[in-house]
Amino acid sequence: MAPPRFGVGAGGGFVLLATALGLFATVATAHDHDEGNIPEGEAVSMDPIDSTLWAHIFLQMFVFGILFPVGMVLGIVKNRWHVPVQVLATALALLGYALGHLHGGRKFVHSNVHAKFATPLFFLMVAQVVLGIYLKLHLERGIHGRIRPVVKMLHGINGKAFPLISWVQMLFGGITALGFCQGDHLGQCLAHFIMGSAFIAYGILLTILLLVGQLWLRRTGRSQEFFDSVVIAAWGCVNTFTEHRWGTAWVRNDWQHTTMGIIWWCAGLAGIWLSRGRDGSPRRNFIPGFVIGITGWAMSAHPQDLMISAMTHKVFGYTLMAVGVTRVIEISFVLHDKPGMSEDGTESHSFQYVPIFLLYAAGFLFMGATEEQMNLVAHSGMDAVAYVLILYSLAFLLFLFVNMLIYLYERNANPAAFKTAANGHARSGQRDEDGQLRDAGEFELDGLMTDDEDDEHAARRKLLRTDGTDSPSGAGRSA
């Protein structure tokens, strides 16, 4: 029996695992949560954020926001750079974890949500390293033959869930750093961050479906609006019964939130019905776009206490209205109710990116419109226009990053298609040049040909173009 292969990836994994466990034990016992400078009723002290904590923030954003998602994509396509990228990301994450416990300056309450969530996130990262080391050892005989598929499945699920978990932790980090979402503000924070993240997730899913998921969608036998309408109906049911505390008095926003939930599940049911044709085939429809548009209209008229909050909510509402209008235009006038631009699912229209990007922007606008954030911006001297432009800039960056990840996946998952496309472009240029020369020669000989010769030559040209050959001599050689 051959000894197990302890490659660079496995050896580096063992070192990282030992370092991680030692660092966690040392930092957990050494870190002092001094809450003496925190005013009563607050979650943070008035001290500024020091350079160590800033380093922790930017390092962890780079690791969990960029490196781990890139490593996930490389793992999906089984690229050889998957292990080095994940090893680097894990090492930097451990450094960031240490910096988060060694900072001075601003103090935080011991029970903050960012610190609580860091522990399970850390153990998920360690578990991912352990599972990766086991897979790297290539143990496939005996009982390992039954264990390995389970480990591989867990490694894949944990790896794909890591970007989502990292997103949640980064949001918790921003909330904790500013001391937001405490007491009576918790409910509003949950609504804004959950709904805003849902819009962004919806945009990401639509980006994936547009670029690499069209064929999968057709294999399901359902239209995209079917899945959209199911989610809309389910979300509407939840909002109908959770936006008002039943048994208490109705306040101004309760009516809007509850009726918004009602129209969502009503419209969702209608969208599910319209997603099937009379013959049972999948059909596109306007319902999801219309629901998003009317939700935007309602949010644009949402009553607010601060002027900057009212303007931010208005832009958020207008953005959602634009999502709805452009989505209906895309389905009805760009695609003409077809599943996509091409049968093979590889083509897309530039207009199809418009509603998708606006979903990213709507998500950031809604997440950035909580009462505490609006109060902070109002006292910072920044106006609503500048604030909205910053949020749109963040949407562009995330939109770019998602497209880059999808390109990375597609380039590695189907490299032959990219080579074929490149070679096809070069050949098409040569064919165009040859075609122009051939057309010029045929124009000069046109008066010397009889009608029968013209018909024969035209038939031969049509056959050659269908076969993809450039000349009769080429056709003879290929035969």
Side-chain angles (χ1 to χ4, degrees), residues 348-362:
S348 60
H349 194 283
S350 60
F351 191 83
Q352 292 181 272
Y353 289 95
V354 177
I356 294 176
F357 165 73
L358 291 174
L359 281 170
Y360 289 75

Side-chain angles (χ1 to χ4, degrees), residues 263-385:
I263 192 174
W264 272 49
W265 65 258
C266 292
L269 294 177
I272 293 172
W273 179 265
L274 292 179
S275 64
R276 281 283 191 179
R278 294 182 179 180
D279 58 351
S281 60
R283 288 288 184 271
R284 309 298 299 267
N285 65 75
F286 73 99
I287 296 293
F290 180 83
V291 171
I292 294 175
I294 201 170
T295 301
W297 168 76
M299 295 304 301
S300 67
H302 219 44
Q304 304 295 326
D305 295 327
L306 296 174
M307 178 62 69
I308 190 171
S309 180
M311 294 182 67
T312 304
H313 276 80
K314 184 174 292 187
V315 175
F316 164 67
Y318 290 164
T319 302
L320 273 188
M321 292 169 66
V323 172
V325 171
T326 54
R327 179 71 182 275
V328 173
I329 293 174
E330 174 200 349
I331 294 170
S332 302
F333 302 104
V334 176
L335 298 178
H336 301 287
D337 290 346
K338 295 178 182 178
M341 294 297 299
S342 61
E343 290 298 325
D344 60 0
T346 59
E347 299 295 329
S348 60
H349 194 283
S350 60
F351 191 83
Q352 292 181 272
Y353 289 95
V354 177
I356 294 176
F357 165 73
L358 291 174
L359 281 170
Y360 289 75
F364 277 103
L365 284 167
F366 200 55
M367 285 197 300
T370 64
E371 292 176 346
E372 293 171 299
Q373 287 172 294
M374 293 291 90
N375 189 56
L376 178 66
V377 175
H379 289 84
S380 68
M382 184 186 301
D383 62 2
V385 174

